[in-house]
Amino acid sequence: MKILVLHGPNLGLLGSREPGIYGHLTLADINRQIADAASEFGVEVECKQTDIEGELVQWIGQAGGEVDGLIINPAAYTHTSVAIRDAISASKLKTVEVHLSNTHAREEFRHISLTAPVCVAQIQGFGPAGYCLALKGLVDVLHSTED
Ligand code: DQA
């Protein structure tokens, strides 16, 4: 089983970006935690980051036939991107949306997610641990829907 993990814009700055909100771990640290969790659950993961909306759309489109599930933190595009929502929907991939922070406890413009309605679940507010929780949940869902 293979899971693709996509990190959206500005998440490459983790470690130095607003550590009071996002913590001190870098994206490389988080990706290591995800890789450790993946080997614990016996699945393969690939983690990628981009600041570019169209690149996320292309990666999701290509992933459709290649991976079993998707974990995505669309970052700011969560609140704006019909294109990413449509790409998730078109891919038919079981998808979990992750946010490090609790977006509902922040500015009002972060309270809306355009992408969450086309995902099987959303996890937010647990910091980097959210990715490993998402992986556990997604692997369970994928196993339960196996032929
Ligand atoms: C975020 C929340 C978004 O509102 C914000 O734009 C981000 C990060 C999070 O992980 O908490 O860049 O997705």
Side-chain angles (χ1 to χ4, degrees), residues 58-90:
Q58 285 179 347
W59 286 347
I60 295 164
Q62 288 157 6
E66 288 177 8
V67 303
D68 300 292
L70 174 68
I71 292 172
I72 185 166
N73 182 346
Y77 293 138
T78 306
H79 319 300
T80 62
S81 181
V82 176
I84 293 173
R85 175 195 172 117
D86 286 350
I88 294 169
S89 200

Side-chain angles (χ1 to χ4, degrees), residues 27-99:
L27 191 61
D29 295 330
I30 292 173
N31 286 342
R32 258 191 302 276
Q33 291 185 354
I34 297 169
D36 287 348
S39 53
E40 190 186 323
F41 305 144
V43 299
E44 204 184 320
V45 277
E46 183 182 9
C47 300
K48 302 208 271 192
Q49 189 273 332
T50 179
D51 293 330
I52 301 168
E53 183 178 18
E55 201 152 41
L56 287 167
V57 169
Q58 285 179 347
W59 286 347
I60 295 164
Q62 288 157 6
E66 288 177 8
V67 303
D68 300 292
L70 174 68
I71 292 172
I72 185 166
N73 182 346
Y77 293 138
T78 306
H79 319 300
T80 62
S81 181
V82 176
I84 293 173
R85 175 195 172 117
D86 286 350
I88 294 169
S89 200
S91 76
K92 296 200 169 69
L93 286 170
K94 294 226 180 323
T95 299
V96 180
E97 177 173 313
V98 173
H99 298 286

Side-chain angles (χ1 to χ4, degrees), residues 9-11 17 21-22 73-79 98-103 106 109-110 131:
N10 299 308
L11 296 174
R17 176 191 180 197
I21 297 174
Y22 299 114
N73 182 346
Y77 293 138
T78 306
H79 319 300
V98 173
H99 298 286
L100 296 155
S101 63
N102 175 1
T103 61
R106 300 181 63 194
F109 65 84
R110 296 185 204 275
Y131 289 99

